[in-house]
């Protein structure tokens, strides 16, 4: 099959980029945006402590919240981790609600670990402005060294703005022995960036079928050919122009 002059030029450039860049390429767009509009500092983790006090019957309850991404882009997944632990006593957690960032859809998955057991899937149900897991029986015992751990994974929506930061709305814990707590400021934060060239190429490849079985490498197609085709598709689609504007 004949190839247009433009595709041959881009394929050659792609091959050169593979050699010089170790199969990775960057236009430096992220750095330019960061320099022009620096996002406010945000923390991936936060912690709250309750007790020891009369309300906790002398126990100390600790609540931790974190997100696994320092920086990411729309369409990628992020996983939030909530850890509820206790020193002293035998507190029981009966429910745990989390409030995702504004504009986030329901979590694509949720996993729970408690009392030192193995992690397993659990259903997080809509509850007001967030999503809630509830114990089906007596609740989850939180003993020394055996915390309750909830991990929920979300897809970052297309409504996020590059250069901004994304912060969730905290958690609410239901339970006994003073471990119940409403913590809207127990947040985890990450920054939003523009998609890099590789992510844009992969996105276009998926949309155009280059990432499908028909678009895979064969005896008639090289890595540079396919990467060149994908880059041309990016250029022709206006994606790079949109990233630069």
């Amino acid at each position: 099959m004949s190839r247009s002059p433009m595709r041959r030029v881009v394929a050659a450039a792609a091959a050169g980029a593979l050699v010089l860049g170790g199969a990775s390429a960057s236009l430096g767009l992220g750095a330019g945006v960061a320099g022009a509009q620096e996002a406010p500092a945000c923390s991936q983790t936060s912690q709250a402590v309750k007790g020891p006090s009369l309300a906790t019957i002398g126990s100390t309850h600790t609540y931790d919240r974190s997100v696994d991404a320092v920086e990411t882009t729309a369409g990628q997944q992020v996983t939030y981790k909530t850890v509820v632990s206790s020193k002293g006593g035998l507190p029981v957690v009966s429910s745990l609600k989390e409030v995702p960032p504004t504009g986030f859809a329901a979590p694509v998955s949720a996993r729970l670990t408690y009392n030192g057991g193995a992690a397993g899937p659990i259903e997080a149900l809509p509850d007001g402005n967030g999503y809630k897991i509830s114990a089906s029986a007596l609740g989850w015992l939180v003993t020394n060294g055996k915390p309750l751990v909830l991990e929920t994974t979300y897809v970052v929506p297309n409504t996020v703005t590059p250069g901004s930061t994304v912060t969730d709305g905290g958690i609410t814990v239901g339970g006994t022995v003073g471990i119940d707590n409403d913590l809207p400021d127990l947040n985890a934060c990450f920054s939003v960036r523009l998609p890099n060239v590789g992510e844009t190429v992969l996105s276009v490849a998926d949309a155009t079928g280059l990432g499908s079985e028909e678009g895979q490498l064969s005896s008639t197609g090289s890595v540079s050919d396919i990467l060149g085709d994908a880059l041309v598709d990016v250029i022709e689609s206006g994606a790079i122009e949109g990233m630069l504007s």
Side-chain angles (χ1 to χ4, degrees):
M1 181 178 66
S2 63
R3 296 165 58 81
S4 69
M6 181 180 181
R7 289 183 181 272
R8 287 197 296 270
V9 170
V10 175
L18 288 173
V19 173
L20 295 175
S24 66
S26 173
L27 295 181
L29 298 175
V33 169
Q37 181 183 355
E38 186 174 352
C42 68
S43 176
Q44 280 183 274
T45 64
S46 62
Q47 184 181 82
V49 178
K50 184 178 181 181
S53 66
L54 195 60
T56 64
I57 316 181
S59 301
T60 299
H61 307 314
T62 304
Y63 312 83
D64 291 280
R65 180 86 165 151
S66 62
V67 64
D68 66 348
V70 176
E71 186 181 61
T72 190
T73 187
Q76 302 300 307
Q77 291 188 348
V78 292
T79 298
Y80 290 89
K81 178 186 285 187
T82 302
V83 181
V84 181
S85 56
S86 178
K87 184 177 182 182
L90 295 172
V92 174
V93 173
S94 58
S95 66
L96 177 57
K97 172 185 173 180
E98 69 176 24
V99 180
T102 301
F104 276 49
V108 296
S109 67
R111 294 179 65 82
L112 180 72
T113 305
Y114 70 98
N115 201 25
I122 190 169
E123 187 174 13
L125 299 175
D127 185 88
N129 60 345
Y131 296 90
K132 183 178 181 179
I133 62 168
S134 301
S136 57
L138 299 178
W140 302 298
L141 182 65
V142 181
T143 58
N144 289 336
K146 296 179 179 179
L148 176 77
V149 181
L150 174 66
E151 296 174 280
T152 49
T153 299
Y154 296 83
V155 175
V156 181
N158 292 329
T159 52
V160 297
T161 304
S164 66
T165 58
V166 175
T167 304
D168 67 287
I171 67 168
T172 299
V173 180
T176 62
V177 202
I179 201 166
D180 58 311
N181 212 342
D182 185 19
L183 299 164
D185 296 323
L186 190 73
N187 312 124
C189 176
F190 65 87
S191 300
V192 180
R193 59 171 172 77
L194 287 168
N196 59 43
V197 174
E199 289 166 337
T200 303
V201 168
L202 289 176
S203 177
V204 172
D206 288 338
T208 59
L210 285 173
S212 65
E213 184 175 332
E214 292 180 357
Q216 298 301 316
L217 288 176
S218 68
S219 60
T220 59
S222 67
V223 173
S224 61
D225 286 343
I226 289 182
L227 182 56
D229 287 341
L231 286 173
V232 170
D233 288 328
V234 171
I235 295 169
E236 291 177 347
S237 71
I240 290 182
E241 181 179 354
M243 290 165 61
L244 293 172
S245 62

